[in-house]
């Protein structure tokens, strides 16, 4: 009774060794501990949607994707599209890229002066007054039309926006029926369950089935977005028509609509925090793929952020509503994060190399 069986000791040693081997092998196979965390000895996964078991031995699917962004013919939108397309061309053929063709989906209903510079498909805007002054409602309707009329060679589509810059070559982050998306901290379906339930009834499952995402950036299989897009459009319009939802979601209403529409079709996304960064809050471009310059960047000459107050040095896309920013923008002062410095350098490189930059 007081002695431990030699067989039991051998069994425990082998079991412990086998467990250690599995953990080490997992870290080696999946590249590093990126996306893997430990808590009280348990192995946890980030992002929220764990990769399917049969996909875990490969980080990305090896399939090109078509880059598609919706746009208007406003000068403010045009110069952003030109910069975005410039960096798409620079990164497309670099090692590691799986970027395929490119389409600007122009939902102004008529051609503009960038048709020869950027591959473009013209689609109709919503009928007058239907967007209720919220022009982003045209985005799902634009995708519905484009998917119906375009011949898309690639099996996957990246839904992008004009204020995206490819900071490095982008691989296909999706896998089969699992699209890849960026998780936004301000998209919180669980905190808004009362409103979400208006459009996502209980019979469809828990509110946690609605991912904390928008439609962009998303890499998704073409047949999936063809199913989701009409629902996305209808949910967007219904949300806008509902005063409570419109007030609660505001300028991110269309993002919630995409998240709900995807969930209604049973589609869950692999959440990739490395998909995108957003200066000035994200400080580094390291290991990220897209810069999203939606926020203004304001600093004093000591390199200190003065967000909410116009800085002595600033870069804000909204400062250039009527036309493109001038070439050779001044770089930020010392102490400003690398992400902001890289953003301005990339804008400057694009504007320096795009012909007739000031005529947008």
């Amino acid at each position: 009774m007081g002695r431990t069986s030699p067989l039991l000791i051998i069994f425990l040693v082998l079991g412990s060794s086998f467990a250690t081997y599995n953990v080490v092998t997992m870290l080696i196979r999946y590249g590093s501990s990126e996306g893997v965390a430990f808590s009280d000895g348990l192995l946890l996964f980030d992002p929220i949607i764990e990769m399917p078991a049969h996909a875990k031995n490969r980080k990305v699917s090896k399939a090109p994707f078509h880059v598609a962004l919706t746009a208007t013919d406003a000068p403010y939108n045009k110069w952003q599209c030109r910069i975005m397309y410039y960096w798409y061309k620079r990164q497309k053929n670099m090692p590691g890229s799986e970027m395929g063709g490119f389409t600007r989906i122009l939902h102004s209903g008529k051609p503009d002066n960038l048709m020869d510079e950027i591959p473009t498909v013209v689609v109709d805007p919503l009928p007058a007054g239907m967007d209720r002054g919220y022009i982003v409602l045209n985005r799902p309707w634009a995708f519905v039309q484009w998917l119906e009329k375009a011949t898309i060679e690639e099996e996957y589509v990246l839904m992008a926006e004009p204020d995206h810059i490819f900071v490095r070559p982008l691989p296909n982050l999706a896998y089969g029926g699992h699209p890849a998306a960026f998780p936004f901290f301000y998209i919180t379906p669980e905190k808004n369950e009362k409103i979400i339930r208006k459009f996502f009834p209980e019979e469809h499952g828990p509110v946690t089935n609605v991912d904390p995402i928008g439609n962009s950036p998303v890499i998704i299989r073409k047949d999936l977005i063809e199913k989701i897009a009409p629902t996305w459009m209808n949910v967007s319009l219904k949300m806008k028509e509902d005063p409570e939802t419109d007030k609660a979601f505001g300028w991110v209403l269309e993002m919630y609509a995409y998240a709900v529409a995807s969930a209604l079709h049973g589609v869950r996304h692999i959440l990739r925090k490395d998909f995108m960064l957003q200066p000035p809050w994200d400080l580094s471009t390291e290991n990220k793929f897209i810069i999203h310059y939606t926020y203004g960047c304001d600093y004093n000459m000591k390199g200190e952020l003065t967000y909410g107050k116009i800085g002595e040095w600033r870069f804000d896309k909204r400062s250039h509503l009527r036309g493109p920013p001038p070439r050779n923008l001044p770089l930020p002062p010392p102490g400003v994060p690398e992400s902001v410095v890289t953003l301005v350098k990339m804008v400057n490189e694009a504007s320096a190399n795009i012909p007739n930059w000031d005529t947008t």
Side-chain angles (χ1 to χ4, degrees):
M1 291 293 292
R3 299 179 62 186
T4 303
S5 166
L7 287 176
L8 178 58
I9 294 173
I10 293 171
F11 176 78
L12 290 173
V13 170
L14 287 175
S16 175
S17 300
F18 182 72
T20 303
Y21 171 80
N22 278 344
V23 172
V24 173
T25 301
M26 181 175 288
L27 292 178
I28 294 172
R29 178 176 296 179
Y30 306 143
S32 71
S33 59
E34 179 183 354
V36 182
F38 292 91
S39 175
D40 297 328
L42 297 177
L43 193 63
L44 305 178
F45 288 87
D46 182 26
I48 293 172
I49 306 304
E50 185 181 337
M51 286 286 278
H54 63 278
K56 287 182 181 177
N57 62 348
R58 52 189 296 184
K59 281 193 172 183
V60 295
S61 56
K62 299 298 181 182
F65 54 86
H66 194 96
V67 180
L69 75 155
T70 54
T72 73
D73 60 358
Y76 170 70
N77 223 244
K78 287 181 182 178
W79 68 258
Q80 294 175 51
C81 288
R82 297 181 85 188
I83 290 175
M84 198 270 197
Y85 184 58
Y86 171 86
W87 283 105
Y88 155 81
K89 290 188 295 183
R90 289 272 277 110
Q91 304 288 6
K92 180 180 184 293
N93 296 318
M94 298 290 286
S97 167
E98 294 184 76
M99 302 158 80
F102 187 102
T103 299
R104 179 181 63 134
I105 308 171
L106 182 62
H107 54 77
S108 60
K110 59 184 185 299
D112 65 3
N113 63 336
L114 296 183
M115 303 294 291
D116 293 333
E117 179 179 332
I118 305 175
T120 300
V121 171
V122 178
V123 298
D124 294 325
L126 289 167
M130 188 173 284
D131 65 9
R132 303 183 181 217
Y134 180 54
I135 196 169
V136 184
L137 280 185
N138 285 280
R139 183 176 293 155
W141 174 223
F143 268 104
V144 169
Q145 296 175 80
W146 175 64
L147 290 164
E148 287 178 349
K149 67 167 33 176
T151 300
I152 307 163
E153 295 181 0
E154 297 86 355
E155 186 182 1
Y156 291 83
V157 172
L158 164 66
M159 295 188 285
E161 296 181 9
D163 59 353
H164 286 176
I165 292 178
F166 295 106
V167 73
R168 56 179 35 84
L170 179 61
N172 190 337
L173 304 176
Y175 188 87
H178 295 269
F182 177 80
F184 290 91
F185 71 89
Y186 50 79
I187 303 297
T188 54
E190 289 182 76
K191 292 182 180 179
N192 293 280
E193 181 168 3
K194 179 176 175 288
I195 294 175
I196 292 292
R197 282 303 185 195
K198 293 183 178 184
F199 313 95
F200 187 71
E202 290 187 5
E203 58 263 30
H204 287 278
V207 171
T208 52
N209 285 353
V210 180
D211 294 326
I213 60 172
N215 85 290
S216 178
V218 167
I219 300 178
I220 186 169
R221 212 170 58 200
K222 186 170 56 180
D223 64 308
L224 293 178
I225 189 58
E226 286 173 343
K227 295 175 183 177
I228 293 170
T231 308
W232 172 28
M233 180 185 71
N234 291 331
V235 172
S236 295
L237 294 173
K238 289 178 181 178
M239 284 185 170
K240 190 65 180 175
E241 290 169 359
D242 183 74
E244 182 185 19
T245 305
D246 189 21
K247 181 179 179 180
F249 291 166
W251 64 275
V252 297
L253 180 148
E254 168 268 341
M255 298 172 69
Y256 271 103
Y258 174 79
V260 168
S262 300
L264 288 171
H265 285 275
V267 175
R268 302 299 304 275
H269 295 70
I270 300 167
L271 305 184
R272 296 289 301 244
K273 294 177 184 177
D274 59 346
F275 208 153
M276 190 169 75
L277 70 141
Q278 301 184 98
W281 310 117
D282 296 310
L283 307 182
S284 172
T285 63
E286 185 179 5
N287 298 323
K288 301 294 197 309
F289 295 105
I290 293 172
I291 294 177
H292 182 211
Y293 55 100
T294 190
Y295 296 106
C297 300
D298 289 275
Y299 293 86
N300 61 29
M301 298 314 290
K302 296 179 182 178
E304 299 168 333
L305 182 67
T306 63
Y307 195 78
K309 177 183 177 182
I310 294 178
E312 297 174 85
W313 180 94
R314 78 180 323 225
F315 176 79
D316 188 338
K317 65 179 185 177
R318 296 165 192 84
S319 300
H320 309 284
L321 296 175
R322 297 183 179 180
R327 285 173 164 156
N328 197 28
L329 292 169
L331 294 178
V336 171
E338 176 269 332
S339 62
V340 179
V341 176
T342 298
L343 167 60
V344 177
K345 286 182 176 180
M346 295 185 83
V347 169
N348 281 345
E349 178 179 329
S351 64
N353 288 282
I354 295 174
N356 304 312
W357 172 247
D358 296 326
T359 62
T360 300

